[in-house]
Amino acid sequence: MPVKVSVIVPVYNPGDYIADCVDSLLRQSLPPDAYEVIFVNDGSTDGTPARLDAVAAEHERVRVIHQENSGWPGKPRNVGIAAARGEFVMFVDNDDYLGDEALERMYDYGVAHDADVVVGKMAGKGRGVPVELFKVNRPRASVANAPLIDSLTPHKMVRRAFLDRTGLRFPEGRRRLEDHVFVTEAFLRAGNVSVLSDYTCYYHIRRDDSSNAGFQRYDPAGYFGNLREALDVVERYTEPGPVRDRLFRRWLRNEMVERLRGQRFLSAPEDFRRDLFEQIHQVVVERFGPGVTDGLQPTQRVVAALAAAGRYDEVTAFAEWETGVALKALPEQVSWRDGTLRIDLTAEYTVHGEPMTFPAGTFEELPAEPPLDAPGAIDWVGMDTTARFDRATLDVLLRERASSATHFQPVEVTRARMPVGDGSRVRLVLRGTALLDLTTAVEGAPPAGGLWDLDARVKLGGWTKGRRLGPAQAHRRALPPAAVVAGHVVLPYWTQQHAHLSLDVDRARKSLGLDGLTPDAVASVDGRLRARLPLHVPAATDVLVRLTAAGADGVRDLPGRLAPEAEGEGALLLAEVPAEALDGQTWRVSVNLAPTADKPRFHPLPVRLRPAAHGFEVVRGTRPGPLSRLAGKVGRVLRGAR
């Protein structure tokens, strides 16, 4: 079979961090003979070379190229391109890993849309990744119609014929931003770029010791010298005008303005801050015209204007003010509606923990440029933010805690200006209703078993801030019960330490509340077990009822049915219990609410069943003693229990 994809991994002293990378590449859903993995060992001095040689000896699709250290990933990637046989090449860093279906999905998507470059959805664990870019699939994207320029890391799939035709390669040597130069040129010269957003393809990992190459301390002069090379690429392949300005704005915003803001700026040593500021000042003055800064948000425009004017002290004062700005996002009510979790929430910015207030008014004729002093700039930001409030956005994202993969959820948003005091100032409050359809919430499917967190994300006044959704400890609100939806048990809960709102999928046991059933909630009716359970069930679903007694043959699994109660809240469990199944013994009762889940969980009910003249009777259960628990364990071992 022709090789569809060549995965190129530059390697330098990753230690154990390479394990997840290797494992994910060997797990790919593409047939083993449809892809190859090329590790380019760039002079590693740890045990990685021998480890990779062992992997290559065991797997034909893995090759290892050893070379002397070149100082940075550019040359290893180029060596990998030269050795590649695939129709496409995929660049992966040795700290990161892929989703199991990443290569297959990205390849198919690229072929279907005749793409020269395929960008797969990313998740960041301790690292920032693009968010807006991956809201929707983009089969035909360009720098003019999509925020492609927000994704300049090299972790993309590129058609090898495109690389050969253009001669595009990574800059080599010890340097910064080699990926910006390569990816920018690829975007600008590609016949088509396709963005795959309905599957998390790439997991971008920050090491616990922060020793990833991109986190090392840098020399500002060298860094911004390399940045100018990326700007040169833009000038080479675009004409002056709005598109070029928008592309330049990405570097001004991300690599310059954001480095001069808040705690990120203030936490650096003074001499580094001054050097950084001077280098940014030079680039802003040399390369960026009014069209670049005009598209920035208010706070960003302030920092850009102060940088252009060389006002170091004012940038510092503005950064000190910004350190107090935070986002507050409070769930006001959480409820189930036919299997959809509805979250009514409010969000607003705070300053040092207090609601942030803004000048009241319309401010239709604001000065075009912010004042060049910190107090005046702060007032200008407040007025501009009030004027732009109708454009403020609120997003709610469902995030898998284990992988950090995020998924946008539908939100209906309203905006409220709330007068404060004499009415000269207002609070700007966003109210939203998020609707989490648990059948399709994660890339068109239900969330997998595990813990899921809920994040709010607000864009307002030049700030884009996110935070976990949840109140302070003193403001906990009642939450609805667990729900059985699409074959999963979903429990909304407050985290213990910070009272953030999260979802437990298929893991909860006691917290479902089944162990607290009252005696009258469980009954024997015409040979059937009937129990009213404190669960939300949008539609009737099959469950599994397990009867357990001491002894080697002490397990009976019976089919059951869980359905919404005709009146009131809760669900009704029904299961036929044949008299012969009881075999003259007393049985403990548990129920598996999600029989199709990866890891079956049986939830005990606080009752027992014992034979009676009419079939069986329900008696209040007690916690089994040590001897009973030991007998149960022995019985399970004897029958090869799961």
Side-chain angles (χ1 to χ4, degrees):
M1 178 182 293
V3 176
K4 294 180 177 180
V5 182
S6 297
V7 182
I8 298 171
V9 187
V11 178
Y12 181 71
N13 287 353
D16 290 338
Y17 286 96
I18 202 170
D20 287 341
C21 177
V22 172
D23 291 346
S24 77
L25 295 177
L26 296 178
R27 285 198 308 267
Q28 289 300 299
S29 58
L30 268 182
D33 56 354
Y35 73 101
E36 63 178 355
V37 181
I38 303 171
F39 291 102
V40 183
N41 169 41
D42 196 40
S44 294
T45 57
D46 61 2
T48 302
R51 182 178 197 165
L52 294 178
D53 286 340
V55 174
E58 187 177 350
H59 301 277
E60 290 186 6
R61 62 187 181 279
V62 176
R63 287 190 282 159
V64 184
I65 299 173
H66 299 281
Q67 65 179 33
E68 293 184 1
N69 182 256
S70 67
W72 213 249
K75 183 173 181 179
R77 292 191 187 113
N78 291 341
V79 169
I81 293 171
R85 298 174 295 167
E87 182 181 352
F88 285 82
V89 296
M90 174 75 193
F91 298 105
V92 176
D93 283 349
N94 60 197
D95 320 292
D96 302 334
Y97 62 91
L98 299 182
D100 290 354
E101 300 174 23
L103 296 184
E104 181 176 16
R105 287 180 180 245
M106 292 177 71
Y107 174 84
D108 288 346
Y109 198 68
V111 170
H113 300 291
D114 194 26
D116 288 328
V117 181
V118 184
V119 186
K121 183 180 179 180
M122 301 178 70
K125 298 186 73 172
R127 305 195 69 160
V129 297
V131 176
E132 297 293 334
L133 178 64
F134 298 122
K135 273 191 170 183
V136 295
N137 283 341
R138 304 175 191 268
R140 301 199 65 82
S142 71
V143 295
N145 66 20
L148 283 178
I149 203 65
D150 289 344
S151 179
L152 291 182
T153 62
H155 315 118
K156 297 166 177 63
M157 188 176 285
V158 185
R159 191 181 295 272
R160 189 160 60 93
F162 166 70
L163 295 177
D164 292 342
R165 183 175 70 252
T166 59
L168 180 59
R169 296 294 186 271
F170 287 90
E172 298 184 2
R174 187 166 185 80
R175 48 160 298 127
R176 292 281 182 161
L177 303 181
E178 83 291 340
D179 46 359
H180 286 209
V181 175
F182 177 92
V183 174
T184 300
E185 185 167 345
F187 284 159
L188 292 173
R189 300 184 70 181
N192 182 41
V193 180
S194 295
V195 180
L196 177 66
S197 302
D198 59 7
Y199 179 80
T200 304
C201 299
Y202 197 95
Y203 293 85
H204 201 22
I205 310 302
R206 179 171 186 166
R207 296 187 192 179
D208 294 337
D209 59 4
S210 297
S211 61
N212 312 69
F215 285 102
Q216 302 308 301
R217 175 60 62 87
Y218 60 92
D219 167 51
Y223 185 92
F224 288 99
N226 294 150
L227 185 145
R228 286 176 172 89
E229 296 175 41
L231 303 181
D232 291 342
V233 171
V234 173
E235 290 185 343
R236 190 178 310 134
Y237 293 105
T238 65
E239 297 294 329
V243 172
R244 179 184 290 183
D245 288 344
R246 185 162 64 248
L247 298 181
F248 276 178
R249 193 175 302 133
R250 184 263 175 224
W251 281 279
L252 174 59
R253 181 183 64 240
N254 291 30
E255 308 302 328
M256 301 180 205
V257 167
E258 292 303 317
R259 294 175 188 271
L260 299 177
R261 293 181 67 181
Q263 198 59 41
R264 181 178 183 181
F265 181 58
L266 298 175
S267 62
E270 171 74 11
D271 58 343
F272 178 84
R273 294 205 309 261
R274 287 190 176 276
D275 191 8
L276 174 68
F277 179 83
E278 180 57 31
Q279 295 299 325
I280 290 174
H281 167 71
Q282 290 178 18
V283 177
V284 171
V285 172
E286 290 172 11
R287 305 298 290 264
F288 300 144
V292 179
T293 56
D294 285 349
L296 294 174
Q297 295 299 312
T299 50
Q300 297 165 348
R301 290 184 65 188
V302 166
V303 177
L306 295 175
R311 301 292 187 92
Y312 173 84
D313 291 339
E314 301 300 334
V315 164
T316 302
F318 193 79
E320 290 170 348
W321 173 72
E322 279 201 285
T323 57
V325 179
L327 174 65
K328 179 174 69 174
L330 303 181
E332 301 294 340
Q333 185 174 5
V334 183
S335 59
W336 289 107
R337 305 286 174 87
D338 298 325
T340 294
L341 187 66
R342 173 178 171 141
I343 304 171
D344 295 309
L345 68 148
T346 60
E348 65 176 316
Y349 284 128
T350 62
V351 177
H352 302 297
E354 297 299 322
M356 193 171 183
T357 64
F358 301 84
T362 57
F363 305 111
E364 296 177 355
E365 297 184 0
L366 274 173
E369 297 298 327
L372 296 179
D373 64 284
I378 292 169
D379 288 342
W380 184 87
V381 166
M383 291 184 287
D384 196 287
T385 300
T386 303
R388 295 170 181 249
F389 183 49
D390 289 341
R391 306 181 213 172
T393 63
L394 167 63
D395 291 309
V396 171
L397 296 92
L398 183 62
R399 175 171 47 82
E400 186 177 25
R401 191 176 298 175
S403 69
S404 296
T406 58
H407 310 274
F408 283 91
Q409 304 302 310
V411 185
E412 299 174 359
V413 181
T414 58
R415 301 165 183 84
R417 290 175 169 85
M418 301 176 60
V420 176
D422 62 3
S424 62
R425 298 187 71 82
V426 293
R427 291 166 55 189
L428 303 179
V429 180
L430 296 169
R431 294 192 175 99
T433 298
L435 301 172
L436 280 65
D437 182 347
L438 273 300
T439 63
T440 60
V442 178
E443 295 165 353
L451 300 180
W452 295 76
D453 298 317
L454 287 151
D455 298 334
R457 181 172 176 269
V458 169
K459 293 177 68 174
L460 169 64
W463 296 285
T464 299
K465 291 186 177 291
R467 64 153 293 151
R468 295 278 297 276
L469 191 57
Q473 191 79 14
H475 296 93
R476 289 179 187 265
R477 288 167 170 78
L479 290 175
V484 181
V485 182
H488 295 278
V489 181
V490 182
L491 174 69
Y493 73 100
W494 300 117
T495 59
Q496 187 170 7
Q497 184 173 4
H498 299 294
H500 292 138
L501 181 61
S502 296
L503 303 181
D504 181 315
V505 180
D506 294 336
R507 289 182 30 150
R509 286 186 182 271
K510 292 183 180 180
S511 48
L512 294 186
L514 303 188
D515 54 347
L517 294 178
T518 58
D520 61 348
V522 187
S524 169
V525 180
D526 299 327
R528 292 195 300 175
L529 175 68
R530 183 179 185 276
R532 297 193 305 275
L533 306 183
L535 300 170
H536 173 76
V537 182
T541 184
D542 293 329
V543 297
L544 197 62
V545 175
R546 173 166 287 181
L547 307 181
T548 310
D553 194 32
V555 171
R556 303 283 188 272
D557 285 342
L558 307 173
R561 192 76 169 160
L562 192 64
E565 281 209 84
E567 297 180 1
E569 297 291 329
L572 191 63
L573 169 66
L574 295 173
E576 298 282 349
V577 183
E580 58 271 19
L582 300 182
D583 196 24
Q585 300 187 74
T586 299
W587 300 78
R588 295 189 297 276
V589 182
S590 59
V591 57
N592 181 356
L593 299 169
T596 60
D598 293 339
K599 296 181 179 180
R601 287 184 178 270
F602 284 88
H603 303 274
L605 305 184
V607 297
R608 297 189 181 200
L609 306 186
R610 67 185 180 193
H614 59 276
F616 69 92
E617 62 180 349
V618 178
V619 296
R620 184 70 179 173
T622 57
R623 180 174 175 80
L627 291 179
S628 296
R629 292 198 297 272
L630 178 60
K633 289 181 180 179
V634 171
R636 287 192 290 275
V637 170
L638 291 175
R639 63 178 175 268
R642 286 164 286 189

